[in-house]
Amino acid sequence: QVQLIETGGGLVQAGGSRRLSCVSSKPTFNNYIVAWFREAPGKGREFVARISRDGGMTSYADSAKGRITISRDNVRNVVFLEMNNLSPEDTAVYYCAARGGIFSTGTNTYDYWGQGTQVTVSS
């Protein structure tokens, strides 16, 4: 079983940056594909980015490309989401999730989820 804890949320002004962290309780975190999703008020859960087991491959939502970077440090069992040039449209609860399977599969079904961290972008 994998337990995930997200940190780094908070209030940021439009145009600012924020880095989120997802820490795994399991030392074999490198066995899992990890993704970030977000859920804005009144909206469903939206895919943001995912990263392969060794960090060699990444995939991003169109809205994230050029502004958001996902990375991981498997020694520390942590996955990061660095967000730049934020806008109020980025305001959401951000979740990290882990799964097995094939990296290229664009599924929203993951085996493990964190509790989420709130990011609020003010205008």
Side-chain angles (χ1 to χ4, degrees):
Q1 300 295 314
V2 178
Q3 294 180 333
L4 307 174
I5 300 176
E6 304 98 330
T7 58
L11 179 64
V12 59
Q13 290 186 319
S17 301
R18 200 81 180 181
R19 186 173 82 162
L20 309 181
S21 299
C22 175
V23 178
S24 172
S25 65
K26 196 174 182 66
T28 54
F29 201 25
N30 61 343
N31 288 338
Y32 298 93
I33 298 163
V34 178
W36 287 92
F37 292 81
R38 67 185 184 186
E39 188 171 290
K43 295 184 177 181
R45 190 160 294 180
E46 177 188 26
F47 168 78
V48 178
R50 69 177 178 271
I51 189 166
S52 61
R53 294 168 174 84
D54 63 355
M57 295 184 290
T58 57
S59 182
Y60 297 92
D62 288 341
S63 61
K65 292 178 180 178
R67 302 189 304 116
I68 297 177
T69 301
I70 188 171
S71 61
R72 69 191 301 166
D73 183 344
N74 287 334
V75 174
R76 297 162 56 194
N77 294 316
V78 60
V79 173
F80 301 105
L81 189 73
E82 297 188 17
M83 302 185 291
N84 301 303
N85 194 25
L86 290 166
S87 70
E89 288 70 36
D90 295 311
T91 295
V93 177
Y94 285 74
Y95 301 88
C96 67
R99 66 172 173 89
I102 300 171
F103 173 79
S104 60
T105 301
T107 181
N108 288 344
T109 301
Y110 282 69
D111 298 316
Y112 308 102
W113 292 84
Q115 81 290 344
T117 185
Q118 175 72 46
V119 175
T120 302
V121 184
S122 62
S123 60

